[in-house]
Amino acid sequence: MATVAPEQAAKPATKPATMAQALGRALRDAMAEDPSVHVLGEDVGTLGGVFRITDGLAKEFGDDRCTDTPLAEAGILGAAVGMAMYGLRPVVEMQFDAFGYPAFEQLVSHVAKMRNRTRGTMPLPITIRIPYGGGIGGVEHHSDSSEAYYMATPGLTVVTPATVADAYGLLRQSIASDDPVVFLEPKRLYWSKDTWNPESPATVEPIGTAVVRRPGTSATLITYGPSLTVCLEAAEAARAEGWDLEVVDLRSLVPFDDATVAASVRRTGRAVVVHESHGFGGPGGEIAARITERCFHHLEAPVLRVAGLDIPYPPPMLERHHLPGVDRVLDAVARLQWDQ
Amino acid sequence: MTVMEQRSTRRTGRTAPPPAWQPRTDPAPLLPDAEPYRVLGTDAAAKADPELLRRLYAEVVRGRRYNAQATALTKQGRLAVYPSTTGQEAAEVAAALALEERDWLFPSYRDTLAAVARGLDPVQALTLLRGDWHTGYDPHEHRVAPLSTPLATQLPHAVGLAHAARLKGDDVVALAMVGDGGTSEGDFHEALNFAAVWQAPVVFLVQNNGYAISVPLAKQTAAPSLAHKAVGYGMPGRLVDGNDAVAMHEVLTEAVTHAREGGGPTLIEAVTYRMDAHTNADDATRYRTDDEVEAWRDHDPVLLLERVLTERGLIDEAGMQAVRDDAETMAAALRERMNADPVLDPMDLFTHVYAEQTSQLREQAEQLRAELEAEAEASEGGR
């Protein structure tokens, strides 16, 4: 499971592409390779999705493979459950983070549990694509970071790419996975460009593998999705203050790569978890606890969290105060010197 | 000037009328009849196929005995809970018999009997209610989806499966069962809407047994009947006497055939009555009267079949006794098997969460294994 065909690795040609293009390409390639892959959701057909991720799929594969559904998220995901029961691999689009909430019961009560309820006889290979997070000036209900809800549900795999190559590789792996995957797309990175070889996906490690994006020695920033660029920028800025920061991109929140994270923190002795989801009850608390359990004797300072504020997602004109930026990360790094 | 006049003035200014939404069909054929469809007790009963009558009778009597046995097992502590379908056996059995082997059944938590009538091992069908696992069978084996505890959430699954089957070119039909209370859930609406838009080969069977636990239908809906809801989705609605096994079988078979032949979904409301309480944990005397329950006894599905079989000379007392004996044998076997304690492996808790265990689950599995070993050692030492 969860691997990309090896013959793809041979082909060259590296070019710049956006994350949105890589996601579209991943869907197209998966559909071309496997006739059981079906895309469904609101506006995914003729319009190509509000973010154009599914652009061209209905034209190339037909309405039966890329289907505009009625506007009903529980119905979309519920129908996908039945389709998966009959041997298809549905890829569902939830359009915006908060639009996925009406489908929550299907997700929690059925999608996450079907393998378990049926003792493994009825696994559900469903990929649920959810554009998430803020920073694009969206109004209410268009900018939530809802990963903590999904992480809290056993049975779901939760991944989020932060690079163009990962967007392609992780989505291919998610579709190939025999388990349901919540695939969180950081929408503020949709238009970020990267050099990427579309014929040779960079992500060949299995889902659940974190990656060190920037090696360093004096502290580890642990992050994912939209906050990776913030952390890399903060690491550059911190050099002037004598900090050599390591940046770990989790890529997968469930399963969680305890080994990579613990190895990094043991090397550096200090850790800050950075994400734009809320702090209280958010992903950072779980991650900080896991680090403390595994690395207590290596820690020079408490594990800190830099998160979004514990507020409902703010209106767009105020969202910059909510989203953790470089300065907030640097402030936390400064606080790692608490004993001096 | 009235509002209507203002509107008409504005309209006259247009060179061409805007494209108007058109209903896709004349709604009249979609509407259910005012009275539930019946065969038993009418002239049509004289023409009912003798073989079908005998078969339905045997199944309904077995169903009645099964309900009684399962209810007794809750009193003995062998089942955590059993939502009885005593009084509803005709609808349960017809649901199973209307399907071909390749079709799929999507039962709610109350529909164990339909699953058993479809051929499921009765003990495996009761696993959920005994409490040793959530689903005791492989759904693919008899094409019975797991008994759904959340209300109406399995209906969109039926739509998706039927849709997928049709895309693959298979003439498979999905029959989805729900209670009257379940029709108030959002998933009921979404499933019916999807099914009608996609023209999916699905049959929705609502068993209106009068109460959603304690809430009567009058507090559940303001619709003339639950079958009337169909017209809003653009599918036919049928109202049937749920205690009339022959009528149920006929209407369900028609709807299944209609779906198989590409005619799309049907919504069927079976009007029936739950003779027992919601479950053994429920006190039905708090919300309904004995008189009301008594009034339904004369319309019992077993009685209705016995009447027609006897009147038509298709069965005698010995024949009925043979059917009862057969049901008794089934109940005795069920009792005996249910009295054996299930063998459980706690390590199974970690086996079926993901295709591959996460490192987090592997750690927890090791911890539980150590706890189990310590427990075993302690009980050895205690001897």
Side-chain angles (χ1 to χ4, degrees):
Chain A
M1 59 154 276
T3 49
V4 174
E7 62 267 21
Q8 295 219 347
K11 300 177 192 170
T14 304
K15 57 184 180 183
T18 64
M19 182 181 279
Q21 287 168 337
L23 292 166
R25 177 64 185 266
L27 289 170
R28 192 211 151 270
D29 290 356
M31 291 175 85
E33 234 171 66
D34 181 353
S36 68
V37 176
H38 284 243
V39 168
L40 64 156
E42 166 80 2
D43 301 312
V44 298
T46 310
L47 183 67
V50 292
F51 292 106
R52 305 291 182 271
I53 307 296
T54 56
D55 194 20
L57 297 179
K59 210 169 184 184
E60 183 171 352
F61 299 100
D63 294 344
D64 284 346
R65 296 280 307 280
C66 180
T67 308
D68 273 333
T69 64
L71 203 171
E73 288 77 9
I76 294 167
L77 188 53
V81 169
M83 290 165 75
M85 282 177 167
Y86 205 78
L88 301 184
R89 283 186 183 271
V91 182
V92 158
E93 180 178 296
M94 285 298 164
Q95 201 161 87
F96 281 95
D97 29 60
F99 295 7
Y101 299 154
F104 216 72
E105 186 180 14
Q106 284 293 340
L107 187 72
V108 172
S109 295
H110 291 293
V111 174
K113 291 179 179 169
M114 195 62 81
R115 170 184 289 281
N116 187 254
R117 291 166 80 199
T118 62
R119 287 185 193 261
T121 61
M122 192 170 253
L124 295 180
I126 302 174
T127 302
I128 303 150
R129 294 180 40 242
I130 309 177
Y132 83 119
I136 62 159
V139 295
E140 221 193 354
H141 302 295
H142 289 72
S143 299
D144 288 21
S145 294
S146 29
E147 58 268 31
Y149 303 138
Y150 307 121
M151 286 173 73
T153 305
L156 298 178
T157 298
V158 185
V159 302
T160 175
T163 67
V164 172
D166 269 8
Y168 181 87
L170 279 177
L171 186 50
R172 291 299 307 274
Q173 293 193 17
S174 300
I175 296 169
S177 169
D178 288 333
D179 283 323
V181 179
V182 174
F183 189 91
L184 297 166
E185 300 175 359
K187 49 175 131 31
R188 92 168 113 124
L189 298 183
Y190 270 152
W191 305 281
S192 71
K193 275 202 173 181
D194 213 334
T195 38
W196 170 58
N197 177 355
E199 308 302 332
S200 167
T203 315
V204 288
E205 304 95 331
I207 285 176
T209 314
V211 61
V212 175
R213 294 286 180 201
R214 183 191 195 278
T217 55
S218 45
T220 303
L221 302 180
I222 295 140
T223 191
Y224 56 85
S227 295
L228 175 65
T229 50
V230 175
C231 287
L232 289 172
E233 206 181 311
E236 278 308 306
R239 281 208 316 203
E241 295 171 37
W243 286 92
D244 178 21
L245 298 177
E246 180 149 308
V247 179
V248 172
D249 174 7
L250 293 172
R251 301 201 279 204
S252 166
L253 297 169
V254 185
F256 186 82
D257 187 350
D258 281 305
T260 300
V261 170
S264 172
V265 176
R266 282 174 189 171
R267 273 198 305 275
T268 63
R270 293 177 169 85
V272 182
V273 188
V274 183
H275 58 63
E276 65 178 66
S277 177
H278 51 281
F280 188 87
E286 175 62 31
I287 296 166
R290 303 191 79 82
I291 292 171
T292 308
E293 285 171 356
R294 279 162 184 75
C295 312
F296 183 72
H297 297 291
H298 301 265
L299 287 173
E300 307 286 338
V303 181
L304 299 180
R305 285 170 292 165
V306 176
L309 306 177
D310 295 329
I311 57 172
Y313 199 87
M317 293 174 82
L318 292 170
E319 70 178 343
R320 69 186 178 87
H321 302 293
H322 166 72
L323 296 172
V326 172
D327 287 346
R328 217 174 268 173
V329 176
L330 291 173
D331 285 350
V333 170
R335 278 194 289 138
L336 290 173
Q337 291 288 25
W338 69 295
D339 54 340
Q340 289 177 8
Chain B
M1 193 190 271
T2 68
V3 173
M4 286 310 290
E5 282 163 347
Q6 281 174 7
R7 276 190 187 163
S8 61
T9 310
R10 274 214 305 274
R11 269 191 196 146
T12 52
R14 287 189 178 132
T15 49
W21 178 83
Q22 291 291 327
R24 43 192 294 279
T25 180
D26 170 13
L30 305 180
L31 284 166
D33 293 334
E35 282 299 310
Y37 177 67
R38 288 194 177 93
V39 174
L40 300 180
T42 74
D43 294 345
K47 291 177 210 132
D49 174 33
E51 268 321 295
L52 179 67
L53 284 170
R54 287 199 195 93
R55 175 148 191 230
L56 287 172
Y57 178 65
E59 290 288 347
V60 166
V61 169
R62 276 168 70 89
R64 173 64 47 88
R65 188 64 191 89
Y66 179 87
N67 273 321
Q69 186 56 61
T71 302
L73 286 166
T74 61
K75 291 177 183 146
Q76 293 155 18
R78 283 292 175 185
L79 288 179
V81 67
Y82 181 72
S84 162
T85 44
T86 301
Q88 302 177 224
E89 291 91 345
E92 291 283 311
V93 159
L97 298 192
L99 296 179
E100 300 286 339
E101 208 175 308
R102 61 189 179 284
D103 297 332
W104 274 76
L105 182 73
F106 285 79
S108 83
Y109 64 91
R110 191 180 294 283
D111 303 314
T112 327
L113 183 53
V116 170
R118 181 143 170 82
L120 223 73
D121 178 342
V123 173
Q124 289 187 331
L126 287 170
T127 302
L128 166 77
L129 303 166
R130 175 158 68 177
D132 50 314
W133 202 263
H134 309 301
T135 302
Y137 52 90
D138 176 354
H140 297 282
E141 196 183 333
H142 293 279
R143 284 153 302 280
V144 176
L147 299 164
S148 183
T149 311
L151 296 183
T153 52
Q154 82 280 20
L155 306 185
H157 305 172
V159 178
L161 181 134
H163 177 65
R166 205 175 52 157
L167 291 180
K168 285 191 173 190
D170 302 339
D171 66 342
V172 166
V173 176
L175 194 156
M177 303 177 74
V178 67
D180 42 297
T183 64
S184 299
E185 294 279 3
D187 281 48
F188 173 82
H189 159 68
E190 298 192 18
L192 267 70
N193 191 47
F194 268 65
V197 170
W198 285 354
Q199 284 293 285
V202 189
V203 177
F204 299 98
L205 171 58
V206 180
Q207 286 189 68
N208 168 11
N209 68 10
Y211 294 86
I213 305 188
S214 69
V215 178
L217 192 68
K219 289 186 182 175
Q220 200 68 243
T221 181
S225 80
L226 296 173
H228 274 82
K229 289 176 183 265
V231 67
Y233 300 102
M235 71 174 80
R238 302 293 307 273
L239 192 59
V240 195
D241 182 338
N243 288 21
D244 182 334
V246 182
M248 281 301 300
H249 186 262
E250 193 181 311
V251 169
L252 276 162
T253 307
E254 255 177 39
V256 167
T257 308
H258 181 71
R260 200 185 308 285
E261 289 171 353
T266 303
L267 171 65
I268 298 169
E269 176 187 356
V271 182
T272 181
Y273 194 78
R274 189 187 77 212
M275 299 304 283
D276 290 341
H278 164 64
T279 69
N280 49 307
D282 169 36
D283 177 7
T285 62
R286 293 176 73 102
Y287 54 84
R288 64 185 195 184
T289 63
D290 289 346
D291 287 351
E292 182 186 300
V293 181
E294 279 310 308
W296 278 88
R297 291 210 188 278
D298 192 46
H299 199 63
D300 182 287
V302 178
L303 200 62
L304 293 181
L305 282 166
E306 274 179 5
R307 272 185 203 147
V308 70
L309 282 163
T310 318
E311 278 166 19
R312 289 181 54 186
L314 296 171
I315 204 167
D316 55 10
E317 184 47 42
M320 287 195 282
Q321 193 54 47
V323 169
R324 286 185 211 117
D325 289 348
D326 171 64
E328 200 52 48
T329 307
M330 177 272 303
L334 176 60
R335 205 163 47 233
E336 194 186 324
R337 291 177 65 203
M338 290 297 287
N339 278 332
D341 290 325
V343 181
L344 306 179
D345 180 2
M347 298 314 290
D348 266 4
L349 291 171
F350 303 100
T351 312
H352 306 298
V353 185
Y354 295 96
E356 282 172 45
Q357 276 182 27
T358 62
S359 61
Q360 290 77 35
L361 283 178
R362 282 198 299 273
E363 281 173 20
Q364 289 170 19
E366 281 318 303
Q367 189 187 341
L368 182 63
R369 195 188 305 280
E371 285 171 11
L372 292 169
E373 279 166 13
E375 259 177 37
E377 269 175 42
S379 67
E380 289 280 317
R383 265 182 207 164

